[in-house]
Amino acid sequence: MEEEFIELSAREYLIHDIHSEDNSMTDRKEQLYQAINQLDNIEKATIILYLEGYEYKEISILIDISETNVGVKINRIKKQLIKRIKDGRK
């Protein structure tokens, strides 16, 4: 029995690759959103403001903590998010 190979055009390959990347990116975003939703309210507000482009000084005013503390908090939150996402993939 002979196997039949179907040859895809360059355009079909491109379309497949684009959709694969879209799905992969969507999955990663969903994992990030789920991890953020597990944070407490202050951590959630801090990381969302950071992701929206607020500067440390602006975040410190809004959350009422020092600029230095904002930086420390953001680094700790990033580590937490990375860990939660990695643990979720297992």
Side-chain angles (χ1 to χ4, degrees):
M1 184 176 216
E2 283 184 43
E3 288 186 40
E4 188 175 325
F5 291 97
I6 300 172
E7 197 169 318
L8 298 176
S9 70
R11 181 167 189 240
E12 289 169 320
Y13 277 120
L14 180 61
I15 289 169
H16 179 266
D17 287 346
I18 289 171
H19 288 298
S20 295
E21 289 174 15
D22 288 348
N23 289 339
S24 174
M25 184 61 80
T26 301
D27 290 345
R28 283 184 267 169
K29 284 181 182 177
E30 184 61 33
Q31 289 173 339
L32 178 60
Y33 294 142
Q34 288 175 0
I36 288 172
N37 280 326
Q38 294 174 5
L39 299 171
D40 69 39
N41 289 337
I42 295 295
E43 290 174 336
K44 196 183 302 185
T46 303
I47 199 68
I48 289 171
L49 290 168
Y50 172 75
L51 292 171
E52 288 181 354
Y54 284 78
E55 294 181 13
Y56 286 13
K57 184 174 185 169
E58 296 169 306
I59 296 171
S60 73
I61 293 167
L62 292 169
I63 297 180
D64 196 30
I65 59 175
S66 72
E67 257 183 89
T68 303
N69 200 357
V70 168
V72 170
K73 206 174 250 313
I74 288 172
N75 284 323
R76 288 181 182 162
I77 293 168
K78 285 180 184 178
K79 287 178 185 177
Q80 272 186 359
L81 293 174
I82 290 167
K83 184 181 182 324
R84 287 180 185 194
I85 290 169
K86 283 182 181 178
D87 288 349
R89 290 185 189 156
K90 292 180 182 177

